[in-house]
């Protein structure tokens, strides 16, 4: 029996209508079938998943069930450390790495009783917008196999779209949950920076990275966020604020103040994408929401800010992959291939780090180098403050902001692979949310020629509960999110 | 517009790049730098230091890791439970 949502599957488990083993076997079958068609997995953990499902069923029989995720199958973006299980970040330099510890998010999911089916594809070290930079190859879009699933959490979005588990855990540094969610017709939330621990999440840009769920519905995302959010003493930027209840009640849209920033509806926006988002705005209006135009004048600079701050942090974070302590190394594969320490570093990093990651390391090294630091990095930090202040100002008058998630439709495999700037522009509507550290969601809002379109909801600092409530209210009145691709 | 010195940056970044790839990166990175140069037009002062940031200090505790063997299992070169590192420079007479 197929259950479309996590919430329905959890209810069926609670009512004794199914077992975790049955859900897990079915989800594994879809995971394996979808992987053959779309290349979405980096690791399928069939035996471990079935053992975890049986353990969940045993807890249920004993009356010691842990919570709503107990026995629910899910997939994990291959960017989180998992003790004893290989973690690759979709990079050749980490293909041989088996972590000696687990990420906080993984530990919290393990403690919730959720059943991990395996790991899913990402751009290498999450650097990309299409999964095309993955050392495992591209993940294809379940709605059109000639197009990309988006990225970097393309494996997560594709898995959630085809029902390979009832949710997936992704990460978002510049749009990496929201853009693939839009491209695959699933719901995804990037929480406020610091809301979910980054401990054990392999770092890309540490001041921007944030973990979040992708699932069929906003209510499903709420159930998952409830488990993974919260303070972590291991992580210095983890927020100490108490975690509210995320699962929304019956929400009304009457009186909701929705801001529509005009900078997100400008040149380059596909007219049919705009039409679907405009239709969503009209639905909000028809339900009594108050729609108003707002202005965020620094928005055109947000992408440039991002492509200075993020590579600067990348160049620092990637320094740890040096062929000395772990991962692939010229020392292991070509004994005698390096004659001093510099050669060990340079040959290892030249051979095993992919081209896009190398590009960002070089860019980051450039913007931090002597003579350029003030002109680039310090200026970017200054404009980042302006972007943040404009959002703070906007949220004095509105409850949420509503925009398109992406300017266009899912693009073709290979279409932008050799044009980094064109690929970077994929993040143009999502990146300001990361620059400001705010929560953002992508919610399905229609189709154009069989391809999904997402709208983005942006909330104030720690406004996840409001975002989820608004998205759930929209989904209670629409059916776009219930469309299911044929594999 | 600034043009990147790719060979210099590659050395700073500890990346051994074939000439062909370096030339390819030169073209691509120049395009990206040209794009981010638009920030010069943004009207924003230098960042203030009162932007709500605070220092977070971890407790200074000694931890003993019981899984040293698992950690060292991933290390390319080891000897006597230690990580082997090549000499910084052979010119100084050190051995690998």
């Amino acid at each position: 029996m197929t259950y479309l949502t996590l919430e329905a599957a959890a209810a069926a488990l609670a009512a004794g209508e199914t077992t975790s083993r049955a859900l897990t076997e079915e989800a594994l079958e879809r995971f394996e079938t979808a992987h053959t068609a779309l290349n979405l997995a980096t690791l399928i953990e069939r035996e471990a998943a079935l053992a975890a499902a049986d353990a969940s069923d045993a807890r249920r029989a004993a009356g010691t069930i842990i919570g709503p995720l107990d026995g629910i199958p899910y997939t994990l973006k291959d960017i989180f450390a998992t003790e004893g299980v290989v973690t690759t970040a979709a990079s050749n330099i980490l293909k041989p790495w088996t972590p000696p510890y687990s990420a906080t998010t993984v530990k919290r999911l393990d403690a919730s009783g959720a059943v991990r089916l395996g790991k899913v594809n990402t751009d290498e070290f999450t650097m990309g917008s299409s999964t095309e930079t993955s050392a495992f190859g591209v993940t294809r879009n379940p709605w059109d196999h000639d197009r990309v699933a988006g990225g970097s959490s393309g494996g997560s979005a594709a898995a959630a779209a085809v029902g390979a588990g009832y949710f997936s855990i992704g990460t978002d540094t510049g749009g990496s949950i929201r853009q693939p969610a839009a491209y695959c017709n699933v719901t995804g939330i990037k929480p406020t920076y610091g809301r979910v621990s980054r401990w054990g999440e392999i770092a890309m840009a540490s001041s921007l990275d944030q973990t979040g769920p992708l699932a069929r519905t906003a209510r499903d995302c709420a159930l998952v966020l409830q488990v993974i959010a919260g303070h972590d003493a291991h992580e210095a930027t983890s927020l100490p604020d108490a975690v509210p209840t995320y699962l929304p009640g019956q929400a009304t849209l009457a009186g909701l103040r929705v801001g529509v920033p005009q900078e997100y509806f400008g040149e380059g926006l596909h007219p049919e994408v705009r039409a679907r988002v405009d239709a969503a705005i009209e639905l909000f209006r028809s339900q009594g929401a108050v729609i108003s135009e707002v202005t965020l004048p620094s928005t055109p600079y947000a992408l440039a800010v991002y492509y200075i701050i993020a590579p600067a942090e990348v160049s620092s974070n990637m320094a740890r992959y040096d062929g000395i302590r772990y991962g692939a190394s010229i020392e292991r594969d070509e004994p005698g291939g390096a004659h001093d320490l510099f050669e060990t570093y340079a040959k290892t990093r030249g051979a095993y780090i992919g081209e896009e990651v190398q590009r960002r390391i070089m860019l980051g090294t450039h913007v931090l180098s002597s003579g350029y630091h003030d002109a680039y990095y310090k200026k970017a930090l200054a404009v980042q403050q302006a972007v943040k202040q404009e959002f703070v100002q906007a949220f004095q008058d509105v409850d949420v902001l509503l925009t398109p998630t992406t300017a266009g439709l899912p693009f073709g495999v290979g279409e932008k692979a050799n044009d980094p700037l064109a690929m970077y522009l994929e993040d143009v509507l999502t990146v300001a949310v990361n620059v400001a550290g705010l929560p953002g969601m992508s919610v399905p809002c229609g189709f154009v020629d069989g391809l999904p379109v997402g709208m983005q909801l942006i909330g104030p600092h720690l406004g996840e509960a409001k975002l989820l409530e608004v998205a759930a209210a929209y989904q209670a009145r629409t059916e776009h999110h219930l469309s299911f691709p044929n594999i | 517009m600034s043009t990147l010195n790719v060979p210099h940056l590659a050395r700073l970044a500890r990346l051994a790049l074939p000439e062909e790839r370096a030339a390819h990166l030169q073209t691509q990175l120049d395009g990206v730098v040209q794009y981010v140069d638009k920030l010069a037009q943004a009207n924003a002062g230098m960042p203030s230091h009162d932007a709500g940031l605070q220092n977070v200090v971890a407790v200074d505790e000694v931890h003993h890791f019981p899984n040293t063997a698992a950690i060292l299992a991933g290390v390319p070169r080891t000897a006597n439970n230690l990580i082997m590192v090549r000499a910084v420079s052979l010119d100084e007479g050190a051995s690998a």
Side-chain angles (χ1 to χ4, degrees):
Chain A
M1 187 181 289
T2 299
Y3 302 93
L4 202 53
T5 68
L6 188 168
E7 205 175 9
L13 281 171
E17 294 166 6
T18 189
T19 62
S20 177
R21 174 168 267 267
L23 291 178
T24 301
E25 283 179 341
E26 188 182 35
L28 277 167
E29 193 174 319
R30 281 201 292 268
F31 193 22
E32 288 160 351
T33 303
H35 177 58
T36 303
L38 306 174
N39 188 42
L40 54 77
T42 62
L43 179 70
I44 297 176
E45 301 175 79
R46 173 174 270 280
E47 296 310 315
L50 290 173
D54 289 343
S56 174
D57 287 334
R59 281 193 297 276
R60 199 169 294 279
T64 56
I65 208 71
I66 299 167
L69 297 194
D70 202 337
I72 299 291
Y74 79 100
T75 59
L76 181 72
K77 184 175 181 176
D78 193 0
I79 199 70
F80 295 92
T82 46
E83 185 175 354
V85 179
V86 69
T87 296
T88 72
S91 177
N92 285 322
I93 205 161
L94 279 186
K95 275 189 176 174
W97 187 51
T98 301
Y101 74 108
S102 287
T104 296
T105 292
V106 171
K107 285 182 180 173
R108 288 180 177 172
L109 287 165
D110 285 350
S112 78
V115 175
R116 189 174 74 234
L117 301 174
K119 300 193 179 187
V120 283
N121 203 13
T122 165
D123 283 286
E124 183 178 5
F125 287 104
T126 77
M127 296 180 212
S129 304
S130 64
T131 71
E132 290 172 290
T133 71
S134 167
F136 293 90
V138 64
T139 294
R140 292 173 181 273
N141 192 299
W143 296 92
D144 180 344
H145 297 192
D146 291 330
R147 296 173 189 263
V148 300
S152 64
S153 306
S156 289
V162 302
Y166 289 91
F167 67 95
S168 188
I169 298 295
T171 62
D172 189 317
T173 305
S176 282
I177 286 173
R178 289 159 288 154
Q179 184 251 30
Y183 281 179
C184 293
N185 202 52
V186 298
T187 307
I189 181 165
K190 182 214 89 84
T192 302
Y193 178 74
R195 180 72 293 186
V196 179
S197 171
R198 292 181 297 108
W199 198 72
E201 174 196 334
I202 296 172
M204 173 187 161
S206 304
S207 77
L208 303 166
D209 295 340
Q210 183 57 199
T211 296
L214 300 92
R216 180 73 48 201
T217 68
R219 293 178 63 82
D220 289 355
C221 286
L223 289 168
V224 181
L225 187 59
Q226 198 73 54
V227 166
I228 62 175
H231 184 248
D232 178 8
H234 288 304
E235 208 248 276
T237 59
S238 170
L239 293 172
D241 306 67
V243 177
T245 299
Y246 289 126
L247 190 65
Q250 293 295 321
T252 174
L253 294 174
L256 179 75
R257 299 173 304 165
V258 179
V260 179
Q262 293 312 292
E263 291 83 0
Y264 286 72
F265 290 80
E267 193 181 343
L269 180 61
H270 190 298
E272 292 298 323
V273 170
R274 175 169 193 145
R276 300 304 177 276
V277 176
D278 283 345
I281 292 170
E282 283 313 306
L283 185 143
F284 277 90
R285 198 193 307 274
S286 73
Q287 296 292 313
V290 180
I291 312 294
S292 60
E293 286 189 8
V294 300
T295 181
L296 300 166
S298 294
T299 298
Y301 298 112
L303 190 68
V305 168
Y306 177 82
Y307 274 100
I308 290 172
I309 293 175
E313 296 181 17
V314 164
S315 71
S316 172
N317 276 326
M318 296 302 294
R320 71 193 64 176
Y321 305 105
D322 56 8
I324 301 291
R325 289 164 295 174
Y326 58 103
S329 174
I330 204 84
E331 296 287 359
R332 187 187 283 116
D333 294 346
E334 285 183 44
H339 79 281
D340 63 14
L341 190 58
F342 182 87
E343 280 200 359
T344 302
Y345 292 159
K347 287 187 173 179
T348 295
R349 291 159 61 78
Y352 299 105
I353 293 177
E355 191 170 315
E356 174 58 27
V357 179
Q358 290 182 347
R359 212 161 18 233
R360 297 198 195 195
I361 291 171
M362 302 268 280
L363 190 58
T365 305
H366 175 63
V367 300
L368 291 177
S369 60
S370 175
Y372 296 100
H373 181 267
D374 284 2
Y376 287 117
Y377 189 67
K378 277 196 171 177
K379 179 76 179 188
L381 292 183
V383 181
Q384 181 181 31
Q385 289 303 320
V387 171
K388 285 182 180 180
Q389 283 308 313
E390 288 170 11
F391 275 114
V392 168
Q393 189 70 34
F395 283 117
Q396 292 188 352
D397 300 319
V398 301
D399 300 310
V400 296
L401 295 168
L402 195 160
T403 80
T405 306
T406 62
L409 298 165
F411 54 91
V413 171
E415 189 178 321
K416 299 183 181 183
N418 293 316
D419 186 349
L421 188 56
M423 192 69 87
Y424 295 173
L425 286 166
E426 269 296 303
D427 299 332
V428 71
L429 300 184
T430 51
V431 79
V433 168
N434 303 77
V435 166
L438 298 176
M441 287 188 76
S442 185
V443 180
C445 69
F447 287 82
V448 175
D449 298 330
L451 296 172
V453 176
M455 68 169 171
Q456 179 174 230
L457 296 170
I458 304 170
H461 182 72
L462 288 177
E464 289 81 7
K466 175 57 96 178
L467 282 187
L468 289 160
E469 178 188 308
V470 172
Y474 175 78
Q475 290 182 333
R477 293 158 175 81
T478 56
E479 294 187 343
H480 309 300
H481 59 292
L482 299 178
S483 293
F484 203 82
N486 292 317
I487 298 298
Chain B
M1 174 192 161
S2 32
T3 298
L4 280 74
N5 182 344
V6 166
H8 175 63
L9 287 174
R11 185 164 177 82
L12 284 177
R14 307 289 188 259
L15 284 170
L17 298 178
E19 272 185 31
E20 198 175 278
R21 184 178 287 190
H24 189 52
L25 281 171
Q26 181 80 58
T27 310
Q28 292 181 330
L29 288 172
D30 282 345
V32 176
V33 169
Q34 189 175 7
Y35 177 81
V36 300
D37 272 344
K38 72 190 285 185
L39 261 195
Q41 302 157 18
N43 182 22
M46 284 296 121
S48 66
H49 294 286
D50 58 352
L53 302 178
Q54 57 178 344
N55 289 326
V56 178
V57 182
V59 179
D60 188 9
E61 293 174 330
V62 176
H63 291 276
H64 295 284
F65 292 90
N67 52 353
T68 309
I71 295 169
L72 287 176
V75 177
R77 294 176 80 213
T78 60
N80 302 322
N81 246 16
L82 298 170
I83 298 172
M84 292 259 300
V85 180
R86 289 204 180 275
V88 173
S89 170
L90 289 178
D91 296 340
E92 294 172 10
S95 61

